[in-house]
Amino acid sequence: MMQCSDARPRLEAHLDNELDEAERAALDDHIASCADCAPEALALERLRDDIRASASAYRAPAALRSQIRAALRRDASGAPAIARGPGWLAVAASIMIAVALGSGGTWLISGDRQRDAIADEVIDSHLRSLLAEHLTDVASSDKHTVKPWFGGRTELSPPGINLAAEGFPLVGGRLDLIDGKPVPALVYRAGKHIINVFVLPAGHGDHPETVHRQGYTLRHWNEGDLGYWAVSDASPDEFSRFEHAFRAAAS
Amino acid sequence: MNWIAQRRRQSRFEQVALPHLDAAYSLARWLTRNDADASDVVQEAYLRAFRYFDSYREGDAKSWLLRIVRRTCYSWLARNRPTELIALDAIDDPTGVNAAGSAQANMGDTETLLMNRSDLRRLDELIEALPPPLREVIVLRELQELGYREIADVTGVPIGTVMSRLHRARTALRRGWDGENIE
Ligand SMILES: [Zn+2]
């Protein structure tokens, strides 16, 4: 039988689940039959329960995550070798469009910071799609194949548009994540360039906006209850031809 | 490093580090005792971790990150609240003489807190009144629910020291808390 002198120093390790089976069993036996150790064990347990029940469980503020990501990006781009080389241009000169649907209120693009955070994520998603060679989940130039594929996978329904006649054939569709939520991405090709079209719920602002970031240009505009984000590192001419063709077909 | 490689590195880092953001913030918030300072410290810690990322190998990402957050917190305390760190050497004094003295000093705070029985934050305040090395073990154990091995890893002390700090933290908390709750 365990003595109090052996039991006492082990009470906290017991509470903390740090004892092995044999020690735990021996200590439990002792506690059950000891009028001195039982209340001590109970008091420790109560303190733990009280702390877990009423001490503050701090959680990171929502903005901190995007602040950190932006700071990391600034930090990374502090290096002088940041300029894109010709190899990069050949691989990924590209256009991306993010389409924002005007529905739920949770996605409201209410300020520059949030818009910037989404712009960052859109660029990241675009890069991941190129770098991981995971352009499409469904590879098809048929809008009647691509559009229904998204059904049930996301609440957001992208317009099915093939711009092959305008020089931007539909490559396929992909489910991606923006702000932790699944969003459809339509993938186009423009010569050597890849075009992604992301579908997001809409934000505020009726005026088209342009954001420059990391060598990309993002275009954001609304149309009906759709908002579009266009991202490109292609030539301004090609970018504007694509935007024009897409907007004409989507309206 | 070219731009693609940098972006890949950042993406890998975010996958490793961002899942532990709440844990990082919680530790920083308890050590700085202030929302804005906690955010600043966590952001600085993430930047440091990002710069150290090449030396990170597969392993417990949470311990690795919390270790950096903790170090950043202590640097911050040294710059901004140096008095909180004065008693640091006494914390693990095996004779317990100096430690008893600093614990006594802290209990002075505790007693004034006890006057205010209706304060819902009083347990928070009891924890905040602990010196940082005792406060952090309570936070890591009871709120982050880390085991002794992980706490030792984060705080850089032997497991035996983790156990004795936990014991002393609990003893101090109970002095303030049990007495108050006995009907
Ligand atoms: Zn006993």
Side-chain angles (χ1 to χ4, degrees):
Chain A
M1 187 72 185
M2 191 181 259
Q3 301 300 305
C4 285
S5 56
D6 295 324
R8 281 302 176 95
R10 289 181 168 77
L11 287 178
E12 287 184 57
H14 183 277
L15 179 83
D16 294 327
N17 285 317
E18 298 278 351
L19 295 183
D20 63 36
E21 251 340 290
E23 278 184 307
R24 188 203 314 267
L27 192 56
D28 279 338
D29 284 348
H30 177 86
I31 292 170
S33 62
C34 178
D36 293 327
C37 293
E40 180 70 8
L42 198 66
L44 283 168
E45 215 172 294
R46 193 180 62 177
L47 177 68
R48 179 197 60 193
D49 293 346
D50 287 348
I51 291 173
R52 291 186 177 171
S54 54
S56 293
Y58 296 113
R59 295 178 58 101
L64 184 57
R65 186 187 176 86
S66 48
Q67 282 164 17
I68 285 174
R69 299 189 76 211
L72 293 175
R73 189 158 297 121
R74 279 195 304 276
D75 192 64
S77 61
I82 195 66
R84 285 177 294 113
W88 169 242
L89 281 174
V91 173
S94 54
I95 300 169
M96 174 161 46
I97 301 278
V99 184
L101 282 173
S103 55
T106 56
W107 275 77
L108 293 177
I109 297 166
S110 54
D112 284 356
R113 182 166 291 175
Q114 186 165 3
R115 186 194 60 188
D116 288 356
I118 289 176
D120 283 349
E121 286 210 65
V122 161
I123 291 176
D124 280 355
S125 299
H126 176 57
L127 277 169
R128 275 198 302 273
S129 79
L130 296 175
L131 298 176
E133 293 179 352
H134 180 71
L135 266 182
T136 57
D137 292 319
V138 50
S140 170
S141 60
D142 183 357
K143 66 181 180 185
H144 301 297
T145 302
V146 173
K147 186 175 162 63
W149 182 85
F150 289 110
R153 290 182 168 87
T154 159
E155 308 169 358
L156 302 163
S157 178
I161 304 169
N162 191 348
L163 301 171
E166 290 83 357
F168 307 103
L170 181 65
V171 179
R174 185 181 73 252
L175 203 61
D176 220 314
L177 278 179
I178 301 289
D179 196 20
K181 300 177 184 68
V183 300
L186 297 172
V187 184
Y188 293 89
R189 191 172 292 282
K192 289 177 181 173
H193 303 181
I194 290 300
I195 303 166
N196 277 295
V197 179
F198 282 55
V199 182
L200 285 75
H204 292 309
D206 292 329
H207 302 293
E209 288 180 285
T210 304
V211 180
H212 295 285
R213 185 74 50 80
Q214 299 284 354
Y216 288 92
T217 303
L218 292 84
R219 285 277 295 161
H220 169 52
W221 71 90
N222 294 321
E223 205 157 86
D225 61 350
L226 297 179
Y228 297 80
W229 285 71
V231 187
S232 170
D233 66 351
S235 72
D237 280 357
E238 190 154 34
F239 179 79
S240 99
R241 277 203 306 119
F242 178 82
E243 179 184 336
H244 181 79
F246 192 94
R247 294 183 72 166
S251 62
Chain B
M1 192 169 18
N2 70 30
W3 195 63
I4 298 177
Q6 281 180 351
R7 201 35 93 74
R8 274 188 174 139
R9 180 172 175 272
Q10 180 175 349
S11 182
R12 274 202 319 277
F13 173 76
E14 288 176 356
Q15 282 172 19
V16 166
L18 283 180
H20 307 298
L21 184 58
D22 281 333
Y25 182 82
S26 171
L27 179 60
R29 177 62 180 76
W30 279 107
L31 285 175
T32 62
R33 302 186 294 178
N34 175 286
D35 289 329
D37 293 332
S39 285
D40 288 350
V41 166
V42 168
Q43 180 165 325
E44 187 184 334
Y46 267 73
L47 280 174
R48 285 192 194 187
F50 186 42
R51 289 164 196 160
Y52 305 151
F53 188 45
D54 293 336
S55 63
Y56 168 77
R57 298 285 173 263
E58 297 300 307
D60 185 353
K62 187 175 183 180
S63 294
W64 173 73
L65 190 75
L66 289 181
R67 199 157 58 229
I68 296 169
V69 170
R70 177 185 173 277
R71 272 205 301 262
T72 311
C73 283
Y74 275 81
S75 305
W76 184 90
L77 286 171
R79 279 198 309 274
N80 297 282
R81 310 239 187 93
T83 53
E84 289 195 25
L85 298 180
I86 284 175
L88 204 57
D89 291 341
I91 289 301
D92 297 310
D93 179 356
T95 68
V97 176
N98 292 329
S102 70
Q104 213 56 48
N106 273 291
M107 294 322 290
D109 296 346
T110 303
E111 272 161 18
T112 60
L113 294 174
L114 290 185
M115 299 298 105
N116 193 358
R117 292 179 61 97
S118 63
D119 186 355
L120 287 173
R121 279 199 77 243
R122 68 194 188 281
L123 191 49
D124 278 4
E125 289 169 348
L126 286 169
I127 294 170
E128 287 181 353
L130 295 170
L134 300 189
R135 197 188 315 154
E136 69 190 359
V137 291
I138 281 291
V139 169
L140 293 172
R141 173 66 208 123
E142 304 296 27
L143 299 177
Q144 301 290 332
E145 305 194 18
L146 300 189
Y148 292 171
R149 172 78 264 161
E150 295 167 293
I151 298 173
D153 207 13
V154 170
T155 57
V157 298
I159 287 183
T161 304
V162 170
M163 293 172 73
S164 71
R165 287 183 183 180
L166 266 176
H167 175 69
R168 300 197 25 222
R170 283 171 169 148
T171 303
L173 290 175
R174 285 175 62 189
R175 227 176 280 156
W177 188 244
D178 288 357
E180 189 178 6
N181 285 279
I182 291 169
E183 278 80 36

